[in-house]
Amino acid sequence: TTREPQCTVVNTTGRNGPEASTELRIYHDRQLPLNQVVPILANFGLRVLDEDSTRVEVGYGRAGFLYSFTVLGPDEEQITDSAAQQRLAAAVSAILRGRYRDHALNSLLLSAELDWEQIDILIGYRNYYLQLNKDFTPATLDASLTLHPTMAQLFLRYFHHRFHPDEEVYGDRRHRQEVTLPALQAEVKA
């Protein structure tokens, strides 16, 4: 049986680069070309400083590959927030497993503190909007959302309050329609 690709994120100090950086460690059962992985990491807003790969024997004549990418976050700093590290590891793992697509909106994972499933909702919401309104291109909407991460958070909050069935978390539908959604709409327009 093959093992699914997996990513972990850890902080390092003084290894092949700046004093403090973040390291993404990826395990995959096949070799990954750098020109495939680096653009994925760049879409998260990461700056890749270094890469190291090692072939490992996993038993029964099979090999796997361990990759280590030294990166800095969008602010050119180490990613110190453990929740951000976990979201990043989950998103990269999901892409490598084919459960999620690499996308320009992935930078919202760090800037808007969204996970990959929330970004996927925004992508779907954006695509729906583009079907109804031909005034904008996908790239224009992506750029607007990535430049204004607070708006991306508001759109996602609006989406959840509008469509989520859990009344315990989001309140009853009538309250949402009369109070919560108009307040969110006003906040978006402000």
Side-chain angles (χ1 to χ4, degrees):
T1 122
T2 61
R3 185 173 170 192
E4 284 195 320
Q6 185 167 340
C7 176
T8 58
V9 180
V10 296
N11 287 326
T12 60
T13 54
R15 192 198 105 139
N16 296 333
E19 287 302 311
S21 59
T22 300
E23 192 172 296
L24 273 82
R25 297 175 181 163
I26 296 173
Y27 169 81
H28 207 293
D29 62 354
R30 66 178 173 84
Q31 206 164 8
L32 298 173
L34 279 176
N35 65 349
Q36 177 186 348
V37 180
V38 172
I40 292 170
L41 301 180
N43 273 341
F44 286 106
L46 302 176
R47 185 171 143 218
V48 179
L49 303 175
D50 188 30
E51 180 271 344
D52 187 32
S53 60
T54 305
R55 185 178 191 271
V56 293
E57 295 298 322
V58 293
Y60 304 106
R62 293 188 358 250
F65 297 88
L66 293 173
Y67 299 90
S68 176
F69 293 91
T70 304
V71 301
L72 292 175
D75 56 359
E76 297 290 318
E77 297 289 330
Q78 183 180 42
I79 302 167
T80 57
D81 179 52
S82 63
Q85 291 176 350
Q86 291 172 2
R87 288 192 311 272
L88 182 59
V92 171
S93 294
I95 290 170
L96 294 173
R97 293 173 185 165
R99 295 187 183 133
Y100 178 59
R101 273 189 28 212
D102 179 32
H103 199 279
L105 290 180
N106 285 347
S107 66
L108 293 171
L109 184 128
L110 295 173
S111 65
E113 300 178 357
L114 304 179
D115 63 35
W116 69 267
E117 291 152 323
Q118 292 170 317
I119 296 169
D120 204 32
I121 289 171
L122 280 177
I123 293 168
Y125 211 26
R126 180 211 67 173
N127 291 344
Y128 176 70
Y129 178 80
L130 288 168
Q131 290 177 7
L132 300 176
N133 188 337
K134 302 291 184 195
D135 294 339
F136 300 101
T137 66
T140 301
L141 291 177
D142 291 349
S144 294
L145 288 170
T146 56
L147 286 172
H148 306 284
T150 303
M151 291 302 293
Q153 290 170 329
L154 281 171
F155 286 137
L156 192 63
R157 280 182 39 217
Y158 182 87
F159 181 84
H160 282 299
H161 280 86
R162 174 79 172 92
F163 298 110
H164 203 287
D166 190 346
E167 291 188 356
E168 220 172 277
V169 173
Y170 294 98
D172 67 56
R173 290 196 182 271
R174 183 175 176 189
H175 178 69
R176 287 192 253 176
Q177 291 292 330
E178 294 174 0
V179 178
T180 309
L181 293 176
L184 284 171
Q185 286 173 333
E187 204 172 336
V188 168
K189 291 178 183 177

